Amino acid sequence: DKTLHQVADLANILSIDQLNIKIRKSLKGHNAKVLCLDWCSDKRHLVSSSQDGKLIVWDAFTTNKEHALTLPTTWVMGCAYSPSGTAVACGGLDNKLTVFPLTMEDDSQSRKKVVGTHTSYTSCCLFPGSDNQVLAGSGDATTTLWDVESGTVLQTFHGHISDVMSIDLAPGPNLNTFVSGACDNVAYLWDMRTGDYVQYFEGHTSDINSVKFHPSGDAIATGSDDATCRLFDLRADAEVACYEKEAILFGINAVDFSVSGRLLFAGYNDYTVNLWDTLKCERITVLYGHENRVSALKVSPDGTAIGTASWDTTIRIW
């Protein structure tokens, strides 16, 4: 029962040398804080939502805007790309969850579909493995699985006692579990078939803003307002690592893993992205470039780039 970095030291794992990560592209076009982004499975498109009430679909290679959708609310908190890349979902302070089909004609606006309505704001959403279902977390402390076609509730997940801020789907063939993090400082692991939680993880001292599965599916990372990221192992049912420094005082809004799972990217409120070595619990480097807090961060599906969204109205590809 050692901590992760003690095991890493025993195994003589080499530290990672300086990585050459710098801003390759800046996507400008939003007029207000960018709140959320998601990559498409084709590895080059991404969708972003902003406080100016716009949802923009970008080509990350050319920085062109391919679609710009006006939304019913100005504060869209979550957006997600469907697995096939043909639709995007979003939700925000209007309590609704809306799905837009992406077609080359200009009728995405008219063909939008309001899938469901929560009793409080929609904070995050994702498509669990198919285009026909959307999973959404809400400020009413529940997560709900919706059917896109009929707009019916397939499953509701109760357990959190405060606003659900973030959800993430387990990787790999077993798409039946997902993890959620909330303002009650706890992360829950859920089974989609039963609607019950399987495990829960405590340890944070403030709101959990972001949760992410390790690519192996055996661990989850969490980022919190208490200025730490933590790694919880599902098999050990315990926290195995904590990523913190005394100099870091600011909360974390977003976390994501590299494809190998060796690196953990974390976006902070002090405008930086910190890069952690998950095994040695060391900070490898800090990415500077945004001029306001980093609100969202996603590694692209093939792991070659990361996209960061910020309140400075820009999205940057590293």
Side-chain angles (χ1 to χ4, degrees), residues 47-63:
V47 60
S48 65
S49 60
S50 159
Q51 204 192 333
D52 58 8
K54 289 272 187 280
L55 190 79
I56 299 182
V57 176
W58 307 82
D59 183 330
F61 293 173
T62 62
T63 71

Side-chain angles (χ1 to χ4, degrees), residues 9 61 83 102 129 170 184 218 261 313:
D9 290 343
F61 293 173
L102 298 178
D184 56 10
D218 293 325
T313 76

Side-chain angles (χ1 to χ4, degrees), residues 193-208:
R193 294 155 298 189
T194 62
D196 297 325
Y197 61 88
V198 192
Q199 281 175 294
Y200 65 93
F201 300 99
E202 297 172 312
H204 279 294
T205 53
S206 185
D207 304 2
I208 296 181

Side-chain angles (χ1 to χ4, degrees), residues 21-316:
I21 301 181
K22 55 177 188 270
I23 297 176
R24 311 288 178 189
K25 295 275 191 292
S26 283
L27 309 181
K28 295 187 171 131
H30 284 297
N31 308 326
K33 301 171 180 175
V34 184
L35 299 170
C36 187
L37 86 158
D38 194 21
W39 286 91
C40 179
S41 47
D42 68 3
K43 307 180 186 55
R44 67 176 288 170
H45 289 93
L46 51 93
V47 60
S48 65
S49 60
S50 159
Q51 204 192 333
D52 58 8
K54 289 272 187 280
L55 190 79
I56 299 182
V57 176
W58 307 82
D59 183 330
F61 293 173
T62 62
T63 71
N64 293 342
K65 301 171 191 62
E66 303 212 339
H67 297 273
L69 305 169
T70 309
L71 300 167
T73 173
T74 54
W75 192 282
V76 178
M77 299 185 69
C79 59
Y81 235 115
S82 69
S84 65
T86 54
V88 290
C90 66
L93 288 190
D94 62 350
N95 302 1
K96 293 186 178 62
L97 181 68
T98 316
V99 174
F100 292 91
L102 298 178
T103 48
M104 287 332 277
E105 304 87 51
D106 293 333
D107 61 347
S108 293
Q109 202 69 48
S110 57
R111 287 177 51 204
K112 74 174 185 187
K113 187 165 173 47
V114 176
V115 174
T117 307
H118 281 275
T119 53
S120 178
Y121 63 89
T122 308
S123 61
C124 47
C125 56
L126 56 83
F127 288 89
S130 80
D131 284 18
N132 311 328
Q133 298 176 350
V134 186
L135 195 61
S138 166
D140 58 17
T142 64
T143 309
T144 309
L145 184 65
W146 301 91
D147 184 283
V148 173
E149 283 303 309
S150 60
T152 51
V153 176
L154 300 174
Q155 192 74 266
T156 321
F157 306 92
H158 295 277
H160 284 294
I161 51 175
S162 183
D163 309 14
V164 177
M165 296 310 290
S166 170
I167 50 177
D168 188 40
L169 198 64
N174 177 21
L175 290 171
N176 290 315
T177 54
F178 72 95
V179 63
S180 64
C183 293
D184 56 10
N185 314 348
V186 186
Y188 281 87
L189 183 73
W190 302 89
D191 188 321
M192 256 190 248
R193 294 155 298 189
T194 62
D196 297 325
Y197 61 88
V198 192
Q199 281 175 294
Y200 65 93
F201 300 99
E202 297 172 312
H204 279 294
T205 53
S206 185
D207 304 2
I208 296 181
N209 291 326
S210 181
V211 288
K212 192 73 196 171
F213 262 98
H214 188 275
S216 68
D218 293 325
I220 58 166
T222 53
S224 162
D225 279 344
D226 62 12
T228 65
C229 296
R230 292 169 199 255
L231 189 69
F232 296 98
D233 191 295
L234 305 186
R235 294 163 300 183
D237 198 22
E239 178 185 322
V240 288
C242 184
Y243 309 104
E244 61 184 338
K245 258 182 157 39
E246 287 189 1
I248 301 177
L249 307 168
F250 290 89
I252 296 145
N253 275 325
V255 290
D256 203 358
F257 282 102
S258 62
V259 168
S260 67
R262 178 74 194 266
L263 306 177
L264 179 69
F265 299 91
Y268 286 76
N269 287 345
D270 61 354
Y271 318 164
T272 61
V273 175
N274 284 358
L275 189 49
W276 295 91
D277 182 327
T278 54
L279 295 177
K280 291 180 102 52
C281 300
E282 298 170 344
R283 183 163 72 175
I284 302 165
T285 181
V286 183
L287 309 180
Y288 297 97
H290 280 297
E291 288 143 32
N292 205 325
R293 65 164 69 177
V294 179
S295 56
L297 176 154
K298 286 270 171 75
V299 175
S300 72
D302 59 355
T304 54
I306 73 166
T308 55
S310 164
W311 285 15
D312 65 9
T313 76
T314 65
I315 297 159
R316 301 192 194 270

